[in-house]
Amino acid sequence: QLQLVESGGGLVHPGGSLRLSCAASGFTLDDYAIGWFRQAPGKEREGVICMNESETSIYYEDSVKGRFTIARDNAENTVILQMNSLRPEDTAVYYCASWVHSDYDPFCRPYSPDHWGKGTLVTVSS
């Protein structure tokens, strides 16, 4: 059974950094397109960073470009979201997701992934 489990969320002060991990089980994550989404209170879920399986196509939400990065750790079958210079408006539940490569949406739309984790809460507050 394919599962994605996020970890690393918590409380961080504005300007701080946080590293989220998404561990996959039941499949080899480096064979799939991957992405991170988030949903803030009262708002629609949105794509944060999405990347195809060959890492040749990457989408960034405008406000996170230059602050957030995505990476694979293939030895651990995980995907990482490194978040720097965090702002209060980054507060949200963050979800990792994956696609079979033929299903990948380069526009990183929130209805598109084949697999979802349950989410981890990130709160940016002083």
Side-chain angles (χ1 to χ4, degrees):
Q1 294 181 343
L2 281 65
Q3 293 187 358
L4 297 169
V5 180
E6 304 93 339
S7 63
L11 176 65
V12 62
H13 291 171
S17 297
L18 206 60
R19 182 179 182 269
L20 305 184
S21 297
C22 175
S25 61
F27 65 108
T28 301
L29 197 54
D30 67 358
D31 292 333
Y32 290 76
I34 55 175
W36 287 91
F37 295 76
R38 67 185 180 187
Q39 188 165 17
K43 296 184 179 180
E44 300 284 341
R45 189 174 299 188
E46 65 177 353
V48 179
I49 303 178
C50 293
M51 182 168 66
N52 70 352
E53 79 287 347
S54 61
E55 304 185 10
T56 57
S57 177
I58 303 175
Y59 166 93
Y60 298 88
E61 194 274 328
D62 286 343
S63 72
V64 311
K65 193 169 186 178
R67 299 190 297 123
F68 293 9
T69 57
I70 191 170
R72 297 181 188 269
D73 183 345
N74 292 333
E76 298 294 329
N77 203 26
T78 63
V79 60
I80 305 300
L81 180 66
Q82 179 65 48
M83 304 185 292
N84 300 321
S85 301
L86 284 161
R87 305 165 181 167
E89 55 264 39
D90 294 319
T91 296
V93 176
Y94 284 73
Y95 301 86
C96 66
S98 64
W99 296 258
V100 174
H101 76 273
S102 60
D103 292 341
Y104 178 64
D105 175 20
F107 297 101
C108 200
R109 288 173 286 198
Y111 56 82
S112 64
D114 295 315
H115 314 112
W116 289 95
K118 293 182 178 180
T120 186
L121 177 63
V122 173
T123 302
V124 185
S125 176
S126 59

